[in-house]
C-alpha cells in the first residue's frame, strides 16, 4: 500500500511538471516557475499551507528541522536526500537563523513578492562585489 502512495505521488509530480512546462522540454525553467508561483499563490490558503507544513513537521513541534525533512522525504519515497541537502534547504529559508523553519518562515517560501525582492537584493549584493 505504501508503494502505491509513492507511485501516486510520483505521478502527481509528473503531472504538475507537464502542466507547468510550457516549453515542453521536461524541465521547469525560471519563467515557467514564476508563472506557476503566481498561479499557486492565488489558490493557496492559510489552511492549505498549514496542512502542508504539518506534513514536514513530523514530530509535531511546530517547526521543521533537518531531521524532519529527512523523515518527510523518506515517507515521500525520496530517501536519497542527505543531511547536507536538507541543511541547505533549511539555511535557504531560515530567516531567524535558528536551524529550523517556523510556519511563518514556511509561508514566506510561497510569497512571490518576497522572492522578487530577495532576488533583487541578491543581484545588488553581487553587483557590489564585482
Amino acid at each position: 500500500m505504501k508503494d502505491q502512495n509513492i507511485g501516486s505521488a510520483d505521478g502527481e509530480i509528473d503531472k504538475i511538471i507537464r502542466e507547468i512546462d510550457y516549453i515542453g522540454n521536461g524541465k521547469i525553467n525560471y519563467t515557467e516557475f514564476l508563472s506557476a508561483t503566481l498561479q499557486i499563490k492565488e489558490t493557496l490558503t492559510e489552511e492549505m499551507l498549514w496542512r502542508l507544513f504539518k506534513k514536514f513537521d513530523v514530530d509535531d513541534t511546530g517547526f521543521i528541522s533537518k531531521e524532519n525533512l529527512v523523515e518527510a522525504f523518506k515517507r515521500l519515497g525520496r530517501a536519497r536526500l542527505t543531511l547536507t541537502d536538507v541543511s541547505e534547504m533549511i539555511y535557504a529559508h531560515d530567516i531567524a537563523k535558528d536551524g529550523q523553519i517556523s510556519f511563518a518562515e514556511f509561508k514566506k517560501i510561497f510569497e512571490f513578492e518576497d522572492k522578487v525582492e530577495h532576488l533583487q537584493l541578491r543581484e545588488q549584493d553581487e553587483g557590489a562585489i564585482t
Side-chain angles (χ1 to χ4, degrees):
M1 184 162 207
K2 228 180 202 186
D3 291 338
Q4 287 176 336
N5 290 338
I6 291 169
S8 191
D10 286 342
E12 278 296 308
I13 291 168
D14 290 339
K15 180 182 173 192
I16 291 167
I17 290 173
R18 282 192 308 275
E19 288 174 4
I20 295 172
D21 181 19
Y22 298 113
I23 294 173
N25 62 0
K27 300 176 183 176
I28 300 173
N29 68 28
Y30 185 68
T31 304
E32 292 166 334
F33 172 76
L34 288 178
S35 174
T37 302
L38 287 172
Q39 292 170 10
I40 289 171
K41 183 180 178 193
E42 293 174 3
T43 59
L44 284 177
T45 65
E46 182 100 2
E47 181 181 337
M48 292 169 78
L49 285 172
W50 178 250
R51 281 192 251 150
L52 182 58
F53 177 83
K54 295 308 287 176
K55 296 279 186 193
F56 291 99
D57 179 19
V58 296
D59 58 1
D60 202 30
T61 61
F63 294 93
I64 299 172
S65 68
K66 296 170 197 170
E67 295 78 16
N68 289 157
L69 282 177
V70 169
E71 179 61 29
F73 280 110
K74 277 183 189 174
R75 291 178 183 182
L76 293 170
R78 305 284 190 258
R80 290 185 214 117
L81 285 174
T82 66
L83 204 51
T84 301
D85 295 331
V86 296
S87 293
E88 290 172 4
M89 289 179 199
I90 294 283
Y91 180 78
H93 302 288
D94 182 14
I95 297 165
K97 301 300 178 205
D98 58 2
Q100 56 191 0
I101 303 295
S102 67
F103 181 58
E105 291 168 325
F106 183 77
K107 288 192 308 185
K108 291 271 186 204
I109 295 169
F110 298 92
E111 293 178 5
F112 178 71
E113 289 86 7
D114 288 343
K115 292 241 181 271
V116 170
E117 184 177 311
H118 175 72
L119 287 172
Q120 289 170 342
L121 289 174
R122 195 161 131 202
E123 287 172 1
Q124 288 172 358
D125 289 343
E126 289 172 357
I129 294 172
T130 58

